[in-house]
C-alpha cells in the first residue's frame, strides 16, 4: 500500500513540477516568507503602549514615558476608543483618587502585568536609580504583527495544499484516468491517501520554510506539526470535493478560495474583536488552529493547550469530512 | 472464466433497465464478443464485469471472483482497454506505463517492450498530450496489457483507428489469445467480431437476442449462394445462384461445362446481415 501511495504522490509531484499554476502554489510559501520579512518591523521597533489623560498627572506621564510608549487623550472616551483598537494598548485612567487599568480583554497577560507594575512603581515613588534591570518576556519574543502574519500564512498554506490536491484531481478528470485507476489493485483508500500526500507535504514543508525564513525556527516543531496535520484534514477534504466537482483547473482554484472566508474570519475575530464576540467563531476550525499556532509561535503553549486546540480542530474537520465523504466516494467512482 | 446470470442494471434505479436479464458464460481462453449498436448496453455490461459499475442485480463471477464480494486483488488478473483513450496527457508514454506498473501486485511487462509492441517505439519520451488520437488509443491499449491479464476486456478496440493500426491491434489480440488469455470485447464492427471471436452475443436494448459462433450463425441464417462471372458471346455475364435449389445447381453445372469462367465465389451472409435479420435493427 505504501509503495502505491508513494507512486501516486511521485506522479502528482512530477506533473505539478511541469505545471505553472501548481509550481506557483508549491513555491508561494517562500515568497510569502520573504515578503513578511521585508514588510514587518523587528521586535526592537515595538514597545508597550499606554493611553493616558492629557494634563491629568504630568509627573506620572513623565515617569511612564521612561518605560513605555505613552499616548495622551483629552477625554476618557478617547482613551477608551484607543484601547479598543486592535493592538494591545492599556489605558491608565484616574478613578476615586487612584488609577485603574482600562483594557479590552484580549491583551496578553504579560503586558497587563507590566502596566500594573509601572503604576505601582510610580505610586511607590521608585525611581530608575533604585531599580535593577531584568529582561522579562512579555509573550512577545517576536513582533506581534509578524507573528499574526506568519500564523495567517500557515493557515493559508494548508489551504494551498487543498488547492494543489484539487488541481491534481481535476487533471485526473480531464484525462479521464480515474476509471483506469479504479481498475488497478490500488483501492480507493490508497488513491485518496496518495493524492493527499502532496497537499500535506506542501503544508508541512511550506510552513517549515516560512517559519525558518521569518525567524520562528526555534518554535516547538512537534506542536506545530500536530496543528498542521489536523488543519490539513479540512483542506484535503475540501480539495477533493472541489476537484471532483470542478470541470477545469481555474474553477477548482477559484472554488477552494471559499476557505479563505472562514480563515480570515477566525483571524480577525481573535485579533480585532472583544471577548463577547469570540463565541460566535467557535464553529470555525481556523479560529482554533490560529489560537494554537499563536501559542506555538510565541513559544508559550503547553502540550495540554495544543492538544485541546488540535482536538477541537480535528473534531470540526472530522464532522466536515463525514459530511463530504459520501460525495468524495461517489465522485471517485 | 466469466459467468453472468440474470444481470440487470438501471442507472437511475427507476425500473428502466439498460441491461436486462443478461446471462452468458465465457470459457477460459475464449474470445467472446458483445455486439450491438450504440446504446445497446454493451459498455454497461462490460463496466459491470470489470467493476467500474456496481453490481445491482444478478450474479457475476469473473476469474473466480464473485463481484458481490469486493476485492481489489482481482484487478491483478484483469486488463481493460477503454474505447476513449484515457492516459495522463502531461506524462510521457513511458511515464504513463511506468506509473501503472507500480500499482499492480503481480509482475508487470516492461514499458519499452509494450510500446514497441503497439508501434510506439521511439515515442517513449513524448508527452501523451502531444499524441494523435490513434497513438493515444495504442497507449491505452498497451496499458491494458501491463499486468499480463488473464481476463482481457476490450471496449471497441479498433474503433476510430486507421486500417493498418487496427490490423496490428487484431494481431496482438490473436497472439494474446493464443497464449491463453480470455478476451471479452465489445464492438459494433461485425468484421472485427467475425475475425476475432469464437462466440458472439447480439445485444439490443439491453437484452441478449442470440449467442453463437460466427460460423454457426452463418450456417444457420446465411443463404447458400454462389456468384459467377463467365464469358458468353464476348460479353462478361454475372449471375448469383443458389447451391441448394435443384434448377440453380443444374444452371451452375451448365455454365461450368459450356462457358469460360472468369470468377466464382461462394457468397456467405455477413454477421451484419445476420444481426439485422435476427434483431430487426441496424448496427449504427
Amino acid at each position: 500500500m505504501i509503495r502505491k501511495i508513494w507512486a501516486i504522490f511521485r506522479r502528482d509531484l512530477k506533473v505539478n513540477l511541469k505545471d505553472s499554476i501548481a509550481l506557483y502554489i508549491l513555491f508561494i510559501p517562500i515568497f510569502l516568507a520573504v515578503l513578511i520579512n521585508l514588510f514587518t518591523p523587528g521586535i526592537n521597533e515595538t514597545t508597550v503602549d499606554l493611553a493616558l489623560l492629557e494634563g491629568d498627572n504630568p509627573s506620572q506621564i513623565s515617569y511612564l514615558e521612561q518605560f513605555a510608549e505613552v499616548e495622551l487623550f483629552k477625554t476618557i472616551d478617547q482613551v477608551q476608543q484607543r484601547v479598543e483598537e486592535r493592538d494591545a494598548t492599556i489605558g491608565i485612567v484616574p478613578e476615586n483618587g487612584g488609577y485603574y487599568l482600562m483594557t479590552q480583554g484580549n491583551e496578553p497577560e504579560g503586558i497587563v502585568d507590566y502596566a500594573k507594575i509601572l503604576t505601582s512603581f510610580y505610586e511607590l515613588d521608585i525611581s530608575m536609580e533604585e531599580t535593577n534591570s531584568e529582561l522579562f518576556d512579555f509573550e512577545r519574543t517576536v513582533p506581534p504583527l509578524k507573528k499574526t502574519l506568519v500564523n495567517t500564512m500557515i493557515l493559508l498554506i494548508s489551504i494551498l495544499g487543498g488547492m494543489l490536491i484539487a488541481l491534481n484531481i481535476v487533471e485526473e478528470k480531464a484525462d479521464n484516468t480515474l476509471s483506469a485507476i479504479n481498475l488497478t489493485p490500488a483501492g480507493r483508500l490508497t488513491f485518496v491517501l496518495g493524492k493527499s500526500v502532496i497537499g500535506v507535504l506542501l503544508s508541512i514543508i511550506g510552513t517549515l520554510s516560512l517559519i525558518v525564513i521569518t525567524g520562528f525556527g526555534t518554535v516547538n516543531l512537534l506542536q506545530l506539526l500536530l496543528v498542521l496535520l489536523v488543519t490539513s484534514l479540512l483542506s484535503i477534504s475540501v480539495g477533493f470535493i472541489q476537484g471532483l466537482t470542478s470541470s477545469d483547473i481555474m474553477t477548482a482554484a477559484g472554488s477552494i478560495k471559499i476557505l479563505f472566508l472562514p480563515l480570515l474570519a477566525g483571524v480577525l475575530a481573535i485579533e480585532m474583536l472583544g471577548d463577547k464576540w469570540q463565541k460566535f467563531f467557535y464553529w470555525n476550525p481556523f479560529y482554533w488552529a490560529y489560537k494554537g499556532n499563536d501559542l506555538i509561535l510565541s513559544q508559550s503553549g503547553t502540550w495540554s493547550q495544543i492538544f485541546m486546540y488540535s482536538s477541537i480542530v480535528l473534531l470540526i474537520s472530522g464532522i466536515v469530512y463525514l459530511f463530504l465523504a459520501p460525495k468524495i466516494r461517489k465522485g471517485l467512482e | 472464466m466469466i459467468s453472468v446470470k440474470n444481470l440487470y442494471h438501471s442507472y437511475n434505479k427507476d425500473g428502466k433497465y439498460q441491461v436486462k436479464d443478461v446471462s452468458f458464460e465465457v470459457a477460459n481462453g475464449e474470445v467472446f464478443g458483445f455486439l450491438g449498436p450504440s446504446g445497446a448496453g454493451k459498455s454497461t455490461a462490460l463496466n459491470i464485469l470489470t467493476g467500474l459499475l456496481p453490481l445491482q442485480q444478478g450474479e457475476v463471477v469473473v476469474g473466480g471472483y464473485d463481484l458481490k464480494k469486493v476485492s481489489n486483488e482481482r484487478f491483478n488478473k484483469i486488463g481493460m482497454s477503454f474505447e476513449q483513450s484515457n492516459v495522463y496527457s502531461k506524462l510521457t508514454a513511458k511515464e504513463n506505463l511506468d506509473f501503472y506498473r507500480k500499482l499492480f501486485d503481480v509482475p508487470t511487462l516492461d514499458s519499452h517492450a509494450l510500446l514497441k509492441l503497439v508501434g510506439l517505439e521511439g515515442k517513449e519520451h513524448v508527452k501523451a498530450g502531444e499524441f494523435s488520437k490513434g497513438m493515444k488509443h495504442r497507449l491505452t491499449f498497451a496499458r491494458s496489457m501491463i499486468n499480463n491479464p488473464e481476463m482481457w476486456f476490450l471496449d471497441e478496440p479498433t474503433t476510430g483507428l486507421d486500417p493498418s493500426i487496427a490490423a496490428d491491434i487484431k494481431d496482438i489480440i490473436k497472439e494474446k489469445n493464443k497464449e491463453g488469455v480470455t478476451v471479452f470485447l465489445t464492438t459494433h464492427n461485425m468484421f472485427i467480431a467475425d475475425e476475432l471471436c469464437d462466440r458472439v452475443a447480439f445485444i439490443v436494448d439491453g437484452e441478449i437476442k442470440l449467442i453463437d459462433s460466427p460460423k454457426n450463425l452463418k450456417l444457420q441464417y446465411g443463404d447458400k449462394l454462389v456468384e459467377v462471372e463467365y464469358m458468353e458471346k464476348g460479353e462478361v455475364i454475372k449471375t448469383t445462384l443458389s447451391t441448394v435449389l435443384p434448377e440453380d445447381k443444374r444452371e451452375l453445372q451448365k455454365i461450368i461445362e459450356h462457358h469460360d469462367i472468369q470468377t466464382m465465389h461462394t457468397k456467405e451472409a455477413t454477421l451484419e446481415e445476420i444481426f439485422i435479420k435476427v434483431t430487426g435493427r441496424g448496427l449504427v
Side-chain angles (χ1 to χ4, degrees):
Chain A
M1 187 180 185
I2 300 292
R3 182 174 56 88
K4 291 171 193 165
I5 290 172
W6 183 244
I8 292 167
F9 159 66
R10 294 248 343 243
R11 192 217 72 87
D12 283 350
L13 184 63
K14 198 176 277 183
V15 169
N16 291 154
L17 290 175
K18 294 177 183 177
D19 182 87
S20 55
I21 296 176
L23 263 179
Y24 174 71
I25 292 174
L26 282 171
F27 288 100
I28 205 169
I30 294 169
F31 299 143
L32 291 172
V34 172
L35 283 178
I36 289 172
N37 270 354
L38 283 175
F39 294 108
T40 54
I43 183 66
N44 293 333
E45 296 166 63
T46 62
T47 183
V48 174
D49 295 314
L50 299 175
L52 278 77
L53 277 180
E54 190 178 322
D56 172 53
N57 188 342
S59 68
Q60 185 196 33
I61 293 168
S62 305
Y63 182 85
L64 294 176
E65 278 176 340
Q66 298 175 84
F67 305 99
E69 190 72 34
V70 175
E71 291 179 62
L72 300 174
F73 297 91
K74 287 193 167 65
T75 64
I76 291 180
D77 284 346
Q78 286 176 333
V79 172
Q80 187 177 338
Q81 278 176 16
R82 177 66 188 88
V83 167
E84 285 173 351
E85 284 182 19
R86 68 165 296 278
D87 62 357
T89 296
I90 310 286
I92 300 178
V93 185
E95 188 182 56
N96 302 330
Y99 287 90
Y100 79 94
L101 299 185
M102 181 187 282
T103 61
Q104 193 180 5
N106 61 351
E107 295 84 355
E109 200 179 332
I111 290 177
V112 179
D113 288 345
Y114 182 68
K116 279 181 193 167
I117 290 166
L118 286 182
T119 315
S120 303
F121 281 2
Y122 171 71
E123 284 169 1
L124 294 169
D125 202 19
I126 295 171
S127 68
M128 279 281 270
E129 291 72 26
E130 291 168 317
T131 60
N132 292 317
S133 68
E134 187 185 342
L135 287 174
F136 184 75
D137 180 1
F138 292 114
E139 299 173 26
R140 283 187 170 199
T141 55
V142 289
L145 177 60
K146 191 171 193 176
K147 190 176 65 173
T148 299
L149 287 174
V150 169
N151 195 347
T152 308
M153 291 307 138
I154 290 173
L155 300 180
L156 177 73
I157 290 168
S158 83
I159 293 180
L160 292 178
M163 199 179 274
L164 202 55
I165 292 169
L167 297 189
N168 289 325
I169 297 282
V170 168
E171 184 222 347
E172 297 268 2
K173 277 178 63 189
D175 285 336
N176 200 20
T177 42
L178 282 173
S179 49
I181 291 280
N182 283 338
L183 294 186
T184 67
R188 209 153 283 158
L189 177 65
T190 305
F191 180 74
V192 169
L193 291 175
K195 283 281 166 197
S196 305
V197 172
I198 197 152
V200 175
L201 279 186
L202 172 70
S203 188
I204 292 171
I205 296 171
T207 299
L208 285 179
S209 309
L210 178 75
I211 63 165
V212 168
I213 293 170
T214 52
F216 287 88
T218 54
V219 299
N220 189 326
L221 292 178
L222 286 176
Q223 289 183 343
L224 187 62
L225 185 67
L226 180 65
V227 178
L228 276 180
L229 288 176
V230 291
T231 314
S232 294
L233 181 63
L234 178 75
S235 302
I236 288 169
S237 308
V238 176
F240 268 97
I241 274 294
Q242 297 302 348
L244 290 166
T245 53
S246 303
S247 53
D248 59 75
I249 284 175
M250 294 317 291
T251 312
S255 313
I256 207 160
K257 281 194 294 195
I258 196 171
L259 282 180
F260 291 166
L261 210 61
L263 188 160
L264 286 174
V267 173
L268 294 176
I270 292 166
E271 292 295 336
M272 300 189 76
L273 298 179
D275 277 349
K276 63 178 180 178
W277 299 106
Q278 299 300 305
K279 57 180 172 290
F280 294 107
F281 295 87
Y282 288 172
W283 57 270
N284 184 347
F286 291 111
Y287 173 90
W288 298 104
Y290 186 87
K291 272 180 172 284
N293 286 339
D294 189 62
L295 290 175
I296 295 165
L297 292 173
S298 54
Q299 302 195 37
S300 58
T302 63
W303 269 107
S304 59
Q305 287 173 306
I306 301 302
F307 273 131
M308 184 185 74
Y309 289 137
S310 300
S311 303
I312 296 171
V313 176
L314 184 66
L315 180 72
I316 299 170
S317 302
I319 292 169
V320 173
Y321 175 77
L322 286 177
F323 176 71
L324 296 179
K327 291 179 183 173
I328 293 174
R329 254 198 311 273
K330 193 167 172 51
L332 290 174
E333 277 175 4
Chain B
M1 190 189 133
I2 300 169
S3 169
V4 177
K5 284 180 191 160
N6 310 115
L7 180 66
Y8 287 83
H9 193 87
S10 167
Y11 282 107
N12 299 321
K13 296 179 182 172
D14 56 359
K16 290 178 185 167
Y17 291 100
Q18 279 69 44
V19 170
K20 282 178 252 179
D21 198 21
V22 164
S23 301
F24 62 92
E25 288 199 348
V26 181
N28 284 335
E30 187 177 12
V31 181
F32 188 84
F34 238 39
L35 313 185
S38 299
K42 306 187 296 288
S43 294
T44 303
L46 177 75
N47 288 339
I48 295 167
L49 298 190
T50 55
L52 281 175
L53 281 176
L55 176 62
Q56 290 177 350
Q57 194 180 330
E59 290 171 30
V60 179
V61 178
V62 176
Y65 291 96
D66 185 343
L67 293 201
K68 277 181 184 158
K69 296 163 192 162
V70 180
S71 159
N72 289 327
E73 202 183 299
R74 75 178 191 275
F75 294 118
N76 284 313
K77 284 188 172 184
I78 71 168
M80 163 87 172
S81 181
F82 295 82
E83 180 182 6
Q84 302 292 333
S85 306
N86 54 355
V87 291
Y88 293 110
S89 51
K90 288 178 185 164
L91 295 183
T92 67
K94 185 174 180 301
E95 285 171 341
N96 261 286
L97 297 184
D98 285 345
F99 168 62
Y100 279 95
R101 288 182 70 187
K102 290 171 192 155
L103 301 182
F104 287 93
D105 307 316
V106 290
T108 50
L109 299 180
D110 177 62
S111 303
H112 271 113
L114 275 173
L115 290 171
K116 190 178 173 186
L117 186 67
V118 296
L120 290 175
E121 197 178 15
K123 304 287 183 191
E124 290 88 347
H125 304 297
V126 178
K127 275 188 193 174
E130 294 167 17
F131 277 6
S132 67
K133 192 181 168 193
M135 288 161 81
K136 278 185 191 168
H137 191 88
R138 278 184 276 168
L139 184 56
T140 305
F141 185 75
R143 188 187 60 204
S144 71
M145 291 182 272
I146 207 154
N147 56 325
N148 247 326
E150 292 172 23
M151 300 279 164
W152 200 14
F153 295 92
L154 307 171
D155 195 1
E156 303 278 0
T158 57
T159 300
L161 297 180
D162 67 54
S164 70
I165 298 170
D168 290 343
I169 297 279
K170 279 188 282 184
D171 288 343
I172 295 169
I173 295 170
K174 285 177 193 167
E175 195 57 40
K176 284 282 169 191
N177 181 240
K178 269 186 202 164
E179 292 170 14
V181 175
T182 306
V183 181
F184 182 100
L185 64 85
T186 70
T187 184
H188 61 267
N189 183 328
M190 294 294 166
F191 296 105
I192 300 289
D194 199 1
E195 190 176 344
L196 292 175
C197 296
D198 297 316
R199 283 190 307 142
V200 292
F202 289 171
I203 181 166
V204 174
D205 296 332
E207 288 177 279
I208 289 183
K209 301 290 181 188
L210 177 153
I211 300 178
D212 211 333
S213 68
K215 191 180 168 186
N216 283 347
L217 287 172
K218 284 175 192 169
L219 286 173
Q220 193 178 344
Y221 293 96
D223 294 323
K224 295 174 180 66
L225 300 171
V226 62
E227 199 174 73
V228 191
E229 278 183 349
Y230 61 95
M231 296 299 291
E232 189 177 85
K233 296 174 186 169
E235 280 184 37
V236 178
I237 307 292
K238 189 175 174 181
T239 185
T240 303
L241 301 162
S242 167
T243 56
V244 181
L245 297 172
E247 61 272 25
D248 278 15
K249 281 165 85 175
R250 281 195 297 274
E251 175 68 18
L252 180 61
Q253 200 172 357
K254 205 163 85 183
I255 290 169
I256 292 168
E257 284 171 4
H258 302 291
H259 298 280
D260 181 16
I261 305 293
Q262 299 292 301
T263 62
M264 184 160 67
H265 304 285
T266 52
K267 191 170 179 293
E268 292 171 329
T270 63
L271 268 186
E272 185 159 0
E273 287 164 345
I274 297 169
F275 186 92
I276 293 166
K277 205 171 191 175
V278 171
T279 64
R281 295 274 296 270
L283 277 166
V284 182

